[in-house]
């Protein structure tokens, strides 16, 4: 039995960005399921043998080869019954920078020149088998976002292969859950614009996010740079900023298509509907301001309203007066109102506070 550290942990170590949170994946050569079980490992993989270490609970996978049998990222048949070499196992990986292994002594095994591509900032596919898994289109785009700060680019041959995967319909087999997972990870990075730009360049953007308006993939501009280096780690806020100029129906359709969490959908729709209002808050009538606070449920859903205001601030809008007025509305003393028709009385008092606030400025 030989055990190697593989994939992202090795890559990130070579880039100097590895930390304790970096997941470690291991590949085991010259072993078998029976031997792994005898050593105390617990099997968790059904389609192919993956085992959890009895101590660390890290994943150890037997070296394997795979064969494409149907469309999509689940359309593979795995074989571990034969003796599979480390190089054969690495050859099935997506990018050369993810196909570097490390021995327990720290020696690197790099049959596909991943270190050279790391040095040159290239995202290059290992083999033509790349085209058999549509998730790899999303992964390349995500790595472009994660490593944009290092100057990484997609290799020309890989870009061409991704375009072929789009034209062949392979990307249409992507599942909603996987699309959202890769999208959310990309939004967690400092420069998510590269994720969308790469998908746009290869033609996948209009297929994966079909509900949204088409973008000019020939343009050398990056229309998504507004998402870069935002002063927030909240992915759903970045999501709302991405979609602020889309139609309400398109946002609803997209969110349903990729099965995103409710908070993503709600904030994106609210931001879209109220963004233009917020840009000219001081010019709004008292009725329009009243409707804004009502539609956003600002006083009852205060956490969500704060996220909406944070979205506006990241878009360069001064929300100080909106915050000031919300504070005044929160201070309304219900105990002093007529109890006979309390609901109507509260609405009248809110309108009085809003009119007084607007007239005072």
């Amino acid at each position: 039995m030989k055990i190697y550290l593989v994939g992202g942990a090795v890559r990130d170590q070579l880039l100097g960005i590895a930390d304790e949170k970096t997941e470690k994946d291991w590949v085991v050569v010259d072993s078998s399921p029976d031997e792994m079980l005898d050593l105390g490992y617990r099997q968790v993989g059904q389609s192919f043998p993956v085992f959890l270490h009895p101590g660390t609970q890290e994943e150890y996978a037997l070296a394997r080869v795979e064969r494409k049998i149907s469309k999509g990222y689940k359309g593979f048949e795995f074989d571990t019954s034969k003796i599979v070499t480390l190089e054969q196992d690495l050859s099935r990986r997506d990018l050369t920078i993810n196909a570097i292994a490390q021995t327990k002594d720290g020696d690197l095994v790099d049959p596909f020149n991943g270190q050279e591509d790391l040095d040159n900032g290239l995202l290059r596919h290992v083999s033509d088998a790349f085209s058999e898994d549509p998730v790899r289109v999303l992964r390349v785009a995500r790595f472009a976002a994660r490593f944009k700060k290092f100057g990484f680019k997609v290799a020309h041959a890989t870009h061409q292969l991704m375009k072929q995967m789009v034209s062949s319909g392979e990307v249409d087999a992507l599942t909603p859950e996987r699309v959202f997972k890769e999208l959310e990870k990309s939004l967690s990075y400092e420069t998510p614009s590269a994720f969308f730009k790469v998908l746009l360049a290869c033609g996948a953007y209009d297929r994966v996010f079909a509900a949204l308006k088409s973008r000019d993939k020939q343009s050398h501009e990056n229309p998504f740079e507004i998402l870069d280096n935002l002063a927030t780690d909240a992915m759903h806020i970045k999501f709302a900023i991405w979609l602020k100029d889309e139609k309400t129906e398109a946002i609803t359709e997209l969110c349903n298509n990729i099965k995103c969490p409710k908070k993503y959908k709600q904030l994106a729709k609210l931001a879209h509907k109220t963004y233009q209002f917020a840009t000219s808050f001081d010019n709004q009538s008292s009725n329009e301001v009243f409707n804004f606070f009502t539609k956003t449920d600002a006083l009852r859903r205060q956490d969500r309203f704060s996220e909406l205001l944070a979205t506006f601030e990241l878009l360069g809008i001064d929300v100080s007066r909106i915050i000031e007025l919300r504070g005044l509305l929160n201070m309304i003393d219900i105990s002093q109102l007529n109890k006979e028709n309390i609901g109507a009385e509260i609405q009248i008092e809110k309108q009085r506070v809003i009119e007084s606030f607007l007239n005072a400025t």
Side-chain angles (χ1 to χ4, degrees), residues 271-283:
H272 162 72
K273 290 178 180 179
T274 59
Y275 167 67
Q276 290 301 329
F277 170 92
T279 61
S280 55
F281 177 77
D282 286 329
N283 298 323

Side-chain angles (χ1 to χ4, degrees), residues 150-301:
F150 295 107
F152 273 74
K153 304 291 184 183
V154 180
H156 177 72
T158 303
H159 171 69
Q160 293 300 316
L161 197 55
M162 291 165 65
K163 289 177 65 175
Q164 292 173 23
M165 293 170 70
V166 173
S167 60
S168 71
E170 182 66 34
V171 297
D172 297 336
L174 286 166
T175 64
E177 294 79 7
R178 198 56 192 261
V179 170
F180 178 73
K181 181 179 179 180
E182 297 296 326
L183 168 62
E184 186 176 46
K185 284 184 179 180
S186 298
L187 290 172
S188 73
Y189 304 142
E190 294 178 7
T191 52
S193 71
F195 172 78
F196 300 107
K197 181 64 175 177
V198 168
L199 293 181
L200 187 64
C202 72
Y205 185 91
D206 289 343
R207 301 286 274 271
V208 177
F209 307 121
L212 305 182
K213 61 186 179 185
S214 295
R215 302 270 187 165
D216 180 10
K217 66 180 181 180
Q218 303 300 327
S219 173
H220 294 293
E221 300 294 321
N222 187 340
F224 309 103
E225 285 186 344
I226 190 174
L227 296 169
D228 290 348
N229 302 306
L230 293 174
T232 181
D233 293 325
M235 284 88 80
H236 62 302
I237 289 179
K238 295 181 184 180
F239 183 82
I241 292 174
W242 168 44
L243 298 174
K244 71 178 179 64
D245 293 326
E246 298 289 342
K247 294 181 179 179
T248 302
E249 297 78 11
I251 295 172
T252 300
E253 184 179 346
L254 170 74
C255 292
N256 291 340
N257 287 347
I258 64 176
K259 298 182 179 179
C260 66
K262 186 183 294 185
K263 69 176 183 178
Y264 280 74
K265 182 178 180 178
Q266 289 182 344
L267 184 61
K269 291 175 71 173
L270 270 182
H272 162 72
K273 290 178 180 179
T274 59
Y275 167 67
Q276 290 301 329
F277 170 92
T279 61
S280 55
F281 177 77
D282 286 329
N283 298 323
Q284 307 296 337
S285 69
S286 60
N287 282 336
E288 288 170 328
V289 172
F290 177 83
N291 289 334
F292 167 72
F293 279 95
T294 300
K295 290 177 181 178
T296 57
D297 208 359
L299 303 185
R300 291 194 309 159
R301 301 287 301 276

